[in-house]
Amino acid sequence: MTKPVGIIIAGGLATRMGGGDKGLLPLGDGTLLSQVIGRLTPQVAALALNANGDPSRFTDLGLPVLPDTVDGFVGPLAGVLAGLDWAASLGADQVVSVAADTPFFPHDLVDRLQDAAKIEDAPIALAATQDPERGPMRQPTFGLWNVALRDDLRAALQDGVRKVVQWTDRHGAAMAIFDPDPFDPFFNVNTPEDLARAQTLLETAP
């Protein structure tokens, strides 16, 4: 299958980390963002960053920086829309979104999302982890999105839709389910304690 383009969503406020850009926090030999970029780059045809504010703080990354086109920090759907508009400008049919604070997402994320979308003939596929008691737990920031849906998403945001699954459920989103063993691959860094755990995982995880 043709590789989609990728968007890293970093538009949040990082209030639990004291504000600022979580993605620029140190992790391993680089930063949270460098870990995310390293995982996603081989899986996509092109890559951009969704972030608000002064884009010059990301100059060293060498990526296009796409701000939200909806005011008010309305959540990850605004970042998805920015990615869809950018993908359309490139002539791409699909964009994959990932979160900037989740450094251990699977190396086969894109392939699995594309397979799920193809099997169910769905315009959207979301990643999920399998919980033994509650079943599949969706990870809505990690998704494959058909560019043809961008105007529908724009209208939904203008109508006040903010929750990702509220919109994706309208379109019968498929799921790609991942095993959370030995740890949740969608573990994200929200606090200083999470960052310390991420460092430990980076040093010890296979």
Side-chain angles (χ1 to χ4, degrees):
M1 286 182 281
T2 302
K3 285 185 177 181
V5 298
I7 182 78
I8 300 171
I9 297 178
L13 298 175
T15 53
R16 282 181 282 179
M17 292 294 290
D21 296 299
K22 276 194 293 185
L24 298 180
L25 292 170
L27 181 63
D29 294 330
T31 63
L32 264 173
L33 262 176
S34 67
Q35 294 289 338
V36 171
I37 291 168
R39 283 194 175 238
L40 190 55
T41 296
Q43 303 186 52
V44 296
L47 185 58
L49 177 69
N50 161 240
N52 298 298
D54 184 359
S56 66
R57 66 195 192 276
F58 300 112
T59 298
D60 291 347
L61 300 178
L63 298 177
V65 179
L66 313 176
D68 293 349
T69 55
V70 179
D71 294 333
F73 296 100
V74 299
L77 280 176
V80 172
L81 178 59
L84 288 170
D85 286 340
W86 173 68
S89 74
L90 299 177
D93 295 325
Q94 296 175 317
V95 62
V96 166
S97 63
V98 304
D101 60 0
T102 306
F104 304 111
F105 62 86
H107 291 287
D108 62 348
L109 173 72
V110 172
D111 286 344
R112 296 273 298 276
L113 288 171
Q114 286 189 309
D115 287 344
K118 184 177 180 180
I119 289 169
E120 298 192 29
D121 192 24
I124 301 169
L126 299 179
T129 50
Q130 184 66 42
D131 184 279
E133 296 180 356
R134 295 180 291 176
M137 303 296 292
R138 288 180 289 189
Q139 306 290 331
T141 310
F142 291 80
L144 175 76
W145 317 86
N146 193 301
V147 171
L149 292 174
R150 65 193 182 106
D151 289 333
D152 185 285
L153 176 54
R154 197 183 328 275
L157 287 168
Q158 291 169 349
D159 287 342
V161 172
R162 297 294 179 260
K163 292 185 178 181
V164 176
V165 295
Q166 182 183 356
W167 182 68
T168 60
D169 283 352
R170 299 178 183 178
H171 298 283
M175 281 193 296
I177 301 175
F178 295 85
D179 188 349
D181 184 56
F183 64 89
D184 182 356
F186 300 102
F187 158 70
N188 64 309
V189 174
N190 283 319
T191 67
E193 292 76 17
D194 291 338
L195 186 61
R197 182 187 174 206
Q199 183 63 47
T200 299
L201 287 172
L202 193 65
E203 295 169 356
T204 60

